[in-house]
Amino acid sequence: MRRILIDSVTHGPLTEPPPQPDAAMLAELAASLERASRAKLGRSLSIREVDAGSCNGCELEIHALGNAFYDLERLGLHFVASPRHADVLLVTGPVTRNMREALERTYNATPDPKWVVAVGDCAVDGGIFAASYAVAGGVNAVVPVDLHIRGCPPPPAEILKGLIALMTTAR
Ligand code: SF4
């Protein structure tokens, strides 16, 4: 008995050393953990709204997204006061000549990666104001647009659909 005790103290264990984790398995686990963490934590977008010359009809529908019925914040969508905090520029209206520079500066102030969503028929191509001398064109005429949400104005549910589609593909 004494010898067994001395042997167990002076020699290491006789069992096999544990194998090192497999690199491919670790990579698979890391990918699935990343997917899970994105699903839990990465589903949010910060939105800066820019009225580039709208009649305010589109804004009324966008404001409705914050009411108790649509409650967009529960979905991880937030309006922010500065383009520097934004992932998405939500732009309404035809771009008037007076607002052109403001839209360009807002776009340049938004950090990459960023997305531009044009809301309403006017934002697509100028809509009913397209022929006006005061209009530079749709949003695409001034900054690159990633998503168009059509309608005059588009209802809140349509705007929400577009934002959710963006949130699920952009991340
Ligand atoms: S799309 Fe319609 S509601 Fe929106 S700014 Fe143009 S005219 Fe107004």
Side-chain angles (χ1 to χ4, degrees):
M1 181 65 185
R2 189 164 166 243
R3 195 167 153 232
I4 293 173
L5 283 172
I6 290 170
D7 277 355
S8 68
V9 171
T10 54
H11 297 94
L14 296 177
T15 49
E16 289 290 312
Q20 291 300 307
D22 182 80
M25 285 180 183
L26 283 177
E28 187 183 355
L29 269 174
S32 94
L33 272 175
E34 189 184 347
R35 271 198 305 277
S37 64
R38 282 190 182 205
K40 294 278 182 209
L41 306 171
R43 290 175 51 83
S44 75
L45 286 178
S46 297
I47 304 163
R48 171 68 180 155
E49 208 267 349
V50 181
D51 177 349
S54 131
C55 75
N56 274 354
C58 285
E59 270 64 33
L60 288 174
E61 305 302 313
I62 290 170
H63 287 172
L65 292 174
N67 67 27
F69 186 79
Y70 294 104
D71 192 14
L72 86 169
E73 294 225 350
R74 84 200 139 102
L75 303 169
L77 299 162
H78 309 275
F79 285 100
V80 291
S82 165
R84 298 200 187 280
H85 300 156
D87 306 304
V88 175
L89 295 180
L90 197 65
V91 188
T92 61
V95 183
T96 59
R97 295 188 191 281
N98 278 349
M99 279 298 290
R100 179 179 195 132
E101 185 184 340
L103 178 58
E104 285 169 343
R105 290 174 68 173
T106 302
Y107 180 83
N108 292 334
T110 308
D112 287 322
K114 58 191 165 195
W115 293 271
V116 176
V117 179
V119 176
D121 288 347
C122 293
V124 174
D125 57 8
I128 57 172
F129 304 109
S132 167
Y133 72 94
V135 166
V139 178
N140 218 5
V142 180
V143 295
V145 173
D146 300 288
L147 176 68
H148 292 94
I149 301 175
R150 292 173 186 272
C152 181
E158 287 302 307
I159 301 170
L160 209 46
K161 270 192 219 169
L163 291 173
I164 289 171
L166 183 65
M167 188 162 62
T168 50
T169 55
R171 294 284 173 180

